[in-house]
């Protein structure tokens, strides 16, 4: 359930008409509902309330400071993959001992920063990284807490670009090498082994792949116990899918039940890294129709947002529902909804039936709260759009629109030119 609903044919975010925000901040803009973010986070937390757990929201899905602050206030941690995300998390008030750090390519400066900040643990993805973290710990005279990220080789049955737990993917250590890596880790003096982690993929719409992954992890834990290696944290990553179109993913309660059943009796603290399931349907991208154009093959609706603002349709052929901000048309048209960027891949929808629109009308691209703004860019020298958060009947600009000056910030022309 989300708080983007029509009242008298006007789309509202909580108590604020979306068109009113558009008048104030201009278009395009991202719009987040505070109540929806909160509700989704709490639903997830509640689902696991019977067991020790930590919800580390996945910063890559939405890393706006206001969003992270909201979760910090609800006791949330953070799943990060870069020094930049660590910076954002701590700036937003997330406690370092609630931060876990995954990623196949952590740099020395990022590792140092995370050790010095005192994060809960690194999810280590290779032997070389293990040695590097140990070396950083030795130099900083600190012990780095670690989990090894295991690649369980299960098929999450999602888009291939967002599958991560198959042997052919770059992530984690294979089951056999993981046991070896654990043995190696226990021999290192500046790392402390505290956990095991995995993440099989994103937009997973059934529980079975999570359960298969957990079974494999449990097998490995049994092997580790026989070796005298004990684990306190079990991080099962994120990945639970949402409804964009017709999907019917499990509710967090169903997901939690399947996971807890698969775990049986255990004394681990569970770590969850949800991103999309919390933020996805808590945000929309609002855009204005610039032109309508009748082509020889098909008709186009040209809007002021583009692939640089929301890349998911271009990159994954992803579906985002398109709704009029003012619902006053009965007639539908079948069109390609496209942006101004100079690429044929710059589309939001192809051959989509939408209500008839004309220049000046506002459209909402739904389910854009996760991997929307965070994946946006300045391609075509387009300033990045503002992010706005509604709280009840007030809206707050939580990131201002970039200016042309912002576009060239940090650039310089060398004197020889
Ligand atoms: N943990 C790790 C280690 C991850 O790599 C990810 C996502 C998550 C947690 C959060 O997954 P979620 O709960 O959001 O599914 N840009 C793509 C999604 C990429 C996901 C990458 N990893 C998209 O727009 O669909």
């Amino acid at each position: 359930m989300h708080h983007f609903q029509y009242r008298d044919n006007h789309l509202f975010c909580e108590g604020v008409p979306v068109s009113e925000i558009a008048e104030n901040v201009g278009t395009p803009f991202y719009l987040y509902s505070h109540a929806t973010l909160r509700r989704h986070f709490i639903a997830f937390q509640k689902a696991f309330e019977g067991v020790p757990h930590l919800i580390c929201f996945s910063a890559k899905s939405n890393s706006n400071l206001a969003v992270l602050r909201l979760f910090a206030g609800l006791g949330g941690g953070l799943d990060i993959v870069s020094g930049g995300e660590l910076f954002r998390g701590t700036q937003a008030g997330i406690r370092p001992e609630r931060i876990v750090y995954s990623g196949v390519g952590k740099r020395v400066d990022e590792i140092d920063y995370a050790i010095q900040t005192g994060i809960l643990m690194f999810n280590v993805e290779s032997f070389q990284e293990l040695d590097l973290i140990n070396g950083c710990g030795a130099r900083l005279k600190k012990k780095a807490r670690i989990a090894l990220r295991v690649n369980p080789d299960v098929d999450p049955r999602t888009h291939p670009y967002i599958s991560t737990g198959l042997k052919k993917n770059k992530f984690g250590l294979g089951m056999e090498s993981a046991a070896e890596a654990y043995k190696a880790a226990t021999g290192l003096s500046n790392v402390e082994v505290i956990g095991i982690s995995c993440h099989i993929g994103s937009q997973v719409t059934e529980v079975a792949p999570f359960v298969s992954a957990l079974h494999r992890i449990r097998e490995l834990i049994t092997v580790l116990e026989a070796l005298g290696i004990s684990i306190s944290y079990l991080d099962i990553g994120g990945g639970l899918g949402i409804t964009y179109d017709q999907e019917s993913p499990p509710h967090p309660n169903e997901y939690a039940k399947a996971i807890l059943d698969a775990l049986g009796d255990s004394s681990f603290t569970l770590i969850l890294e949800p991103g999309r399931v919390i933020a996805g349907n808590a945000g929309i991208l609002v855009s204005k129709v610039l032109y309508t154009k009748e082509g020889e093959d098909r008709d186009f609706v040209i809007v002021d947002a583009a692939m640089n603002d929301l890349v998911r349709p271009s990159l994954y052929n992803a579906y985002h529902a398109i709704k009029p901000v003012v619902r006053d048309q009965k007639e539908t048209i079948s069109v390609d909804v496209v942006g101004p960027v100079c690429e044929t891949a710059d589309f939001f929808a192809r051959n989509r039936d939408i209500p008839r629109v004309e220049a000046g009308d506002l459209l909402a691209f739904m389910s854009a709260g996760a991997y929307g703004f965070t994946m946006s860019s300045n391609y075509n020298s387009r300033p990045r759009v503002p992010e706005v958060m509604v709280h009840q009947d007030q809206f707050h600009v939580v990131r201002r629109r970039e200016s042309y000056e912002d576009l060239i910030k940090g650039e310089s022309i060398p004197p020889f030119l």
Side-chain angles (χ1 to χ4, degrees):
M1 221 292 279
H2 58 70
H3 294 266
F4 297 96
Q5 306 293 342
Y6 286 100
R7 287 191 208 167
D8 293 332
N9 290 329
H10 286 255
L11 187 65
F12 273 65
C13 176
E14 302 187 24
V16 188
V18 172
S19 51
E20 185 186 311
I21 304 172
E23 257 167 50
N24 275 274
V25 306
T27 54
F29 62 95
Y30 274 96
L31 182 59
Y32 309 131
S33 152
H34 174 271
T36 311
L37 288 164
R38 190 169 187 280
R39 180 195 170 97
H40 289 174
F41 189 89
I42 289 173
F44 210 84
Q45 220 168 26
K46 277 227 159 95
F48 288 94
E49 102 192 316
V51 294
H53 70 275
L54 177 61
I55 306 216
C56 293
F57 176 69
S58 192
K60 65 182 80 64
S61 67
N62 188 322
S63 57
N64 184 280
L65 290 186
V67 172
L68 301 187
R69 170 62 62 89
L70 161 59
F71 300 143
L74 296 172
L78 204 62
D79 149 47
I80 61 164
V81 289
S82 70
E85 287 187 346
L86 176 55
F87 179 70
R88 283 183 170 279
T90 51
Q91 289 291 307
I94 305 260
R95 299 204 347 221
E97 68 274 18
R98 293 185 179 158
I99 297 180
V100 294
Y101 188 172
S102 303
V104 294
K106 304 177 187 81
R107 293 192 315 252
V108 168
D109 61 298
E110 294 177 307
I111 295 170
D112 283 354
Y113 178 26
I115 293 179
Q116 274 159 335
T117 307
I119 64 164
L120 174 61
M121 66 184 192
F122 291 91
N123 291 337
V124 176
E125 308 220 11
S126 64
F127 282 92
Q128 289 181 6
E129 184 192 331
L130 185 60
D131 280 339
L132 190 60
I133 292 179
N134 186 52
C136 293
R139 178 166 37 75
L140 298 171
K141 301 196 171 38
K142 291 213 158 107
K143 256 194 173 183
R145 287 174 295 274
I146 61 146
L148 290 180
R149 176 167 173 182
V150 173
N151 183 328
D153 195 29
V154 298
D155 185 356
R157 295 195 279 271
T158 184
H159 191 287
Y161 287 11
I162 54 178
S163 292
T164 47
L166 283 167
K167 261 188 193 162
K168 64 180 176 192
N169 301 138
K170 68 180 173 183
F171 300 96
L173 288 148
M175 297 299 283
E176 275 92 69
S177 13
E180 287 308 306
Y182 270 103
K183 277 196 246 168
T186 49
L188 300 173
S189 40
N190 287 89
V191 299
E192 182 191 356
V193 176
I194 62 165
I196 189 161
S197 83
C198 80
H199 168 77
I200 56 170
S202 197
Q203 185 56 11
V204 180
T205 51
E206 47 188 344
V207 293
F210 294 111
V211 171
S212 310
L214 262 181
H215 286 316
R216 305 223 58 197
I217 298 266
R218 282 195 62 179
E219 284 164 25
L220 180 60
I221 291 176
T222 311
V223 172
L224 297 181
E225 278 166 355
L227 292 168
I229 301 169
S230 74
I231 299 294
S232 329
Y233 292 91
L234 173 50
D235 179 345
I236 57 168
L240 186 57
I242 61 167
T243 304
Y244 285 98
D245 184 12
Q246 305 291 336
E247 308 89 335
S248 46
H251 185 275
N253 287 339
E254 197 186 323
Y255 165 77
K257 186 176 179 315
I259 285 168
L260 297 179
D261 285 352
L263 266 181
D265 272 346
S266 73
S267 54
F268 308 117
T269 295
L270 260 190
I271 296 180
L272 294 313
E273 302 176 353
R276 188 188 320 262
V277 68
I278 289 173
N281 277 319
I284 63 175
L285 172 65
V286 181
S287 179
K288 189 167 72 185
V289 175
L290 295 176
Y291 304 98
T292 55
K293 173 161 137 175
E294 284 177 21
E296 284 178 12
D297 180 65
R298 58 185 74 197
D299 295 343
F300 298 95
V301 168
I302 302 160
V303 297
D304 62 358
M307 65 186 286
N308 71 296
D309 302 309
L310 176 65
V311 75
R312 302 191 70 259
S314 314
L315 193 56
Y316 315 115
N317 214 4
Y319 178 96
H320 285 266
I322 302 176
K323 292 189 174 175
V325 169
V326 180
R327 201 166 53 175
D328 56 3
Q329 277 290 341
K330 298 249 174 320
E331 193 191 345
T332 59
I333 48 175
S334 179
V335 289
D336 281 14
V337 180
V338 301
V341 159
C342 302
E343 301 239 7
T344 301
D346 180 25
F347 63 88
F348 292 103
R350 286 176 157 161
N351 293 315
R352 181 82 63 90
D353 289 343
I354 62 164
R356 177 173 291 288
V357 285
E358 50 188 65
D361 289 348
L362 297 174
L363 289 175
F365 298 105
M366 307 304 288
S367 314
Y371 308 107
F373 184 86
T374 51
M375 293 179 80
S376 68
S377 76
N378 289 124
Y379 187 41
N380 276 204
S381 282
R382 290 168 51 86
R384 278 180 300 169
V385 307
E387 293 174 283
V388 180
M389 183 185 280
V390 166
H391 177 233
Q392 299 171 352
D393 57 1
Q394 302 280 329
F395 71 88
H396 305 266
V397 176
V398 292
R399 190 182 211 273
R400 65 163 172 78
R401 187 181 303 283
E402 287 181 346
S403 64
Y404 288 151
E405 283 302 318
D406 289 329
L407 287 179
I408 56 168
K409 199 168 152 200
E411 290 183 32
S412 54
I413 299 172
F416 74 89
L417 292 173

